[in-house]
Amino acid sequence: MEKIALDIHRKILIPTDYSPACNNAVAYGMEFCRIYGCSAEVFHVSVGEDDKADSSSFTSRTISYYKDKYGIDTDFVVTKGSVTQRIANETLVSVFGFVVLGTPGNNGFQRLTGSYAAKIIDLVSAPVIVVQNKSFKKIENIVLALSSDVEKIDGGKIAAVVNFFEANVHIMYSDEKVVGLRNMDKLVSSKNIRYKKISPSINSVLQALNYCRDIDADLLISVSTASSSQSLRNEQLVFNVMQMPVMCLSI
């Protein structure tokens, strides 16, 4: 069986409302682009007539700022409407490999971030990387956590995402009967792939976060079904106290 070809589109979407959390997400996303050879679209949903981002001069200055500071090919898009729906629509109009979403955590929810994060994760088609206050660090250790309702792995989709980073991969699972689980080592290009079984009777989010801490992981990928209501997609994970960047990936 051949390794899955790297087919992730090398453009990322970074929504912003100019809050500190979103500003950090922009910086994270730009460094992400620099390391992985991507371009970026910074996306703002305007809130009214007095929104400074509506002006063409502001848009021009913003594009120049990002290009000059990060050396990244950057688009800046301003639109109006529902925050969550506009972001979701943008992922349908244009093709993005990832969405980078900033959040301040469980405290101090803001208009775009916080309570909107879960809605955005559910609506967009691309994998969403949720970041808090940590700066970008090259992704060398990934924890891939399968939610308990995953009965069959879409090995191609998972492998395409994992292979993008060329990182060490640690797969956490609770059921050895998951179809396709043991074929991952044939699909993932990493030379270092490990499997770790977790106890279904213990909080799965806590186990995943503790394991991330133990191996000094750079990214936790939460894999769940599109209709999942399992804990690996809840606020405890996305707004985790470790401030671990979390990618939400639906299969």
PDB file of all heavy atoms in Angstrom, residues 7-19:
ATOM      1  N   ASP A   7      -1.851  16.149  -0.352  1.00  0.00           N
ATOM      2  CA  ASP A   7      -2.824  16.828  -1.191  1.00  0.00           C
ATOM      3  C   ASP A   7      -3.585  17.909  -0.434  1.00  0.00           C
ATOM      4  O   ASP A   7      -4.677  18.291  -0.823  1.00  0.00           O
ATOM      5  CB  ASP A   7      -3.810  15.816  -1.791  1.00  0.00           C
ATOM      6  CG  ASP A   7      -4.558  15.027  -0.714  1.00  0.00           C
ATOM      7  OD1 ASP A   7      -4.278  15.226   0.486  1.00  0.00           O
ATOM      8  OD2 ASP A   7      -5.435  14.227  -1.074  1.00  0.00           O
ATOM      9  N   ILE A   8      -3.014  18.410   0.640  1.00  0.00           N
ATOM     10  CA  ILE A   8      -3.627  19.502   1.372  1.00  0.00           C
ATOM     11  C   ILE A   8      -3.363  20.815   0.648  1.00  0.00           C
ATOM     12  O   ILE A   8      -2.221  21.127   0.305  1.00  0.00           O
ATOM     13  CB  ILE A   8      -3.078  19.580   2.813  1.00  0.00           C
ATOM     14  CG1 ILE A   8      -3.402  18.290   3.578  1.00  0.00           C
ATOM     15  CG2 ILE A   8      -3.638  20.786   3.541  1.00  0.00           C
ATOM     16  CD1 ILE A   8      -4.866  18.043   3.798  1.00  0.00           C
ATOM     17  N   HIS A   9      -4.414  21.577   0.413  1.00  0.00           N
ATOM     18  CA  HIS A   9      -4.261  22.854  -0.284  1.00  0.00           C
ATOM     19  C   HIS A   9      -3.445  23.810   0.586  1.00  0.00           C
ATOM     20  O   HIS A   9      -3.714  23.976   1.771  1.00  0.00           O
ATOM     21  CB  HIS A   9      -5.638  23.456  -0.574  1.00  0.00           C
ATOM     22  CG  HIS A   9      -5.604  24.584  -1.550  1.00  0.00           C
ATOM     23  ND1 HIS A   9      -5.404  24.387  -2.900  1.00  0.00           N
ATOM     24  CD2 HIS A   9      -5.725  25.919  -1.389  1.00  0.00           C
ATOM     25  CE1 HIS A   9      -5.429  25.552  -3.525  1.00  0.00           C
ATOM     26  NE2 HIS A   9      -5.616  26.496  -2.627  1.00  0.00           N
ATOM     27  N   ARG A  10      -2.451  24.450  -0.005  1.00  0.00           N
ATOM     28  CA  ARG A  10      -1.517  25.276   0.766  1.00  0.00           C
ATOM     29  C   ARG A  10      -1.969  26.740   0.855  1.00  0.00           C
ATOM     30  O   ARG A  10      -1.242  27.666   0.511  1.00  0.00           O
ATOM     31  CB  ARG A  10      -0.106  25.156   0.197  1.00  0.00           C
ATOM     32  CG  ARG A  10       0.493  23.780   0.482  1.00  0.00           C
ATOM     33  CD  ARG A  10       1.914  23.656   0.021  1.00  0.00           C
ATOM     34  NE  ARG A  10       2.441  22.346   0.385  1.00  0.00           N
ATOM     35  CZ  ARG A  10       3.082  22.073   1.502  1.00  0.00           C
ATOM     36  NH1 ARG A  10       3.275  23.019   2.382  1.00  0.00           N
ATOM     37  NH2 ARG A  10       3.525  20.855   1.757  1.00  0.00           N
ATOM     38  N   LYS A  11      -3.181  26.898   1.315  1.00  0.00           N
ATOM     39  CA  LYS A  11      -3.678  28.226   1.664  1.00  0.00           C
ATOM     40  C   LYS A  11      -4.519  28.076   2.918  1.00  0.00           C
ATOM     41  O   LYS A  11      -5.326  27.150   3.021  1.00  0.00           O
ATOM     42  CB  LYS A  11      -4.515  28.830   0.532  1.00  0.00           C
ATOM     43  CG  LYS A  11      -4.963  30.265   0.825  1.00  0.00           C
ATOM     44  CD  LYS A  11      -5.652  30.882  -0.387  1.00  0.00           C
ATOM     45  CE  LYS A  11      -5.975  32.360  -0.120  1.00  0.00           C
ATOM     46  NZ  LYS A  11      -6.608  33.002  -1.304  1.00  0.00           N
ATOM     47  N   ILE A  12      -4.328  28.977   3.880  1.00  0.00           N
ATOM     48  CA  ILE A  12      -5.073  28.872   5.124  1.00  0.00           C
ATOM     49  C   ILE A  12      -5.951  30.108   5.320  1.00  0.00           C
ATOM     50  O   ILE A  12      -5.634  31.194   4.834  1.00  0.00           O
ATOM     51  CB  ILE A  12      -4.156  28.669   6.343  1.00  0.00           C
ATOM     52  CG1 ILE A  12      -3.327  29.921   6.636  1.00  0.00           C
ATOM     53  CG2 ILE A  12      -3.249  27.458   6.140  1.00  0.00           C
ATOM     54  CD1 ILE A  12      -2.564  29.835   7.936  1.00  0.00           C
ATOM     55  N   LEU A  13      -7.050  29.911   6.027  1.00  0.00           N
ATOM     56  CA  LEU A  13      -7.981  30.985   6.340  1.00  0.00           C
ATOM     57  C   LEU A  13      -7.823  31.368   7.808  1.00  0.00           C
ATOM     58  O   LEU A  13      -7.830  30.498   8.688  1.00  0.00           O
ATOM     59  CB  LEU A  13      -9.417  30.527   6.071  1.00  0.00           C
ATOM     60  CG  LEU A  13     -10.530  31.533   6.398  1.00  0.00           C
ATOM     61  CD1 LEU A  13     -10.461  32.723   5.444  1.00  0.00           C
ATOM     62  CD2 LEU A  13     -11.901  30.866   6.327  1.00  0.00           C
ATOM     63  N   ILE A  14      -7.684  32.673   8.068  1.00  0.00           N
ATOM     64  CA  ILE A  14      -7.524  33.146   9.444  1.00  0.00           C
ATOM     65  C   ILE A  14      -8.585  34.209   9.721  1.00  0.00           C
ATOM     66  O   ILE A  14      -8.417  35.376   9.375  1.00  0.00           O
ATOM     67  CB  ILE A  14      -6.120  33.744   9.691  1.00  0.00           C
ATOM     68  CG1 ILE A  14      -5.022  32.854   9.102  1.00  0.00           C
ATOM     69  CG2 ILE A  14      -5.903  33.952  11.181  1.00  0.00           C
ATOM     70  CD1 ILE A  14      -3.638  33.479   9.149  1.00  0.00           C
ATOM     71  N   PRO A  15      -9.702  33.839  10.345  1.00  0.00           N
ATOM     72  CA  PRO A  15     -10.707  34.839  10.710  1.00  0.00           C
ATOM     73  C   PRO A  15     -10.178  35.754  11.812  1.00  0.00           C
ATOM     74  O   PRO A  15      -9.428  35.311  12.687  1.00  0.00           O
ATOM     75  CB  PRO A  15     -11.879  33.992  11.224  1.00  0.00           C
ATOM     76  CG  PRO A  15     -11.622  32.598  10.716  1.00  0.00           C
ATOM     77  CD  PRO A  15     -10.136  32.474  10.670  1.00  0.00           C
ATOM     78  N   THR A  16     -10.598  37.018  11.803  1.00  0.00           N
ATOM     79  CA  THR A  16     -10.156  37.943  12.844  1.00  0.00           C
ATOM     80  C   THR A  16     -11.226  38.962  13.173  1.00  0.00           C
ATOM     81  O   THR A  16     -11.984  39.395  12.294  1.00  0.00           O
ATOM     82  CB  THR A  16      -8.861  38.668  12.447  1.00  0.00           C
ATOM     83  OG1 THR A  16      -8.429  39.498  13.536  1.00  0.00           O
ATOM     84  CG2 THR A  16      -9.061  39.534  11.219  1.00  0.00           C
ATOM     85  N   ASP A  17     -11.308  39.338  14.448  1.00  0.00           N
ATOM     86  CA  ASP A  17     -12.119  40.471  14.873  1.00  0.00           C
ATOM     87  C   ASP A  17     -11.235  41.513  15.552  1.00  0.00           C
ATOM     88  O   ASP A  17     -11.732  42.405  16.228  1.00  0.00           O
ATOM     89  CB  ASP A  17     -13.254  40.024  15.796  1.00  0.00           C
ATOM     90  CG  ASP A  17     -12.756  39.369  17.076  1.00  0.00           C
ATOM     91  OD1 ASP A  17     -11.523  39.313  17.283  1.00  0.00           O
ATOM     92  OD2 ASP A  17     -13.597  38.906  17.871  1.00  0.00           O
ATOM     93  N   TYR A  18      -9.925  41.371  15.383  1.00  0.00           N
ATOM     94  CA  TYR A  18      -8.903  42.277  15.918  1.00  0.00           C
ATOM     95  C   TYR A  18      -8.776  42.205  17.444  1.00  0.00           C
ATOM     96  O   TYR A  18      -8.157  43.064  18.055  1.00  0.00           O
ATOM     97  CB  TYR A  18      -9.153  43.735  15.478  1.00  0.00           C
ATOM     98  CG  TYR A  18      -9.264  43.863  13.997  1.00  0.00           C
ATOM     99  CD1 TYR A  18     -10.473  44.202  13.403  1.00  0.00           C
ATOM    100  CD2 TYR A  18      -8.173  43.599  13.166  1.00  0.00           C
ATOM    101  CE1 TYR A  18     -10.596  44.293  12.022  1.00  0.00           C
ATOM    102  CE2 TYR A  18      -8.285  43.683  11.789  1.00  0.00           C
ATOM    103  CZ  TYR A  18      -9.493  44.031  11.226  1.00  0.00           C
ATOM    104  OH  TYR A  18      -9.609  44.106   9.861  1.00  0.00           O
ATOM    105  N   SER A  19      -9.352  41.176  18.045  1.00  0.00           N
ATOM    106  CA  SER A  19      -9.161  40.963  19.481  1.00  0.00           C
ATOM    107  C   SER A  19      -7.755  40.408  19.706  1.00  0.00           C
ATOM    108  O   SER A  19      -7.110  39.913  18.769  1.00  0.00           O
ATOM    109  CB  SER A  19     -10.197  39.967  20.006  1.00  0.00           C
ATOM    110  OG  SER A  19      -9.993  38.689  19.409  1.00  0.00           O
TER     111      SER A  19
END
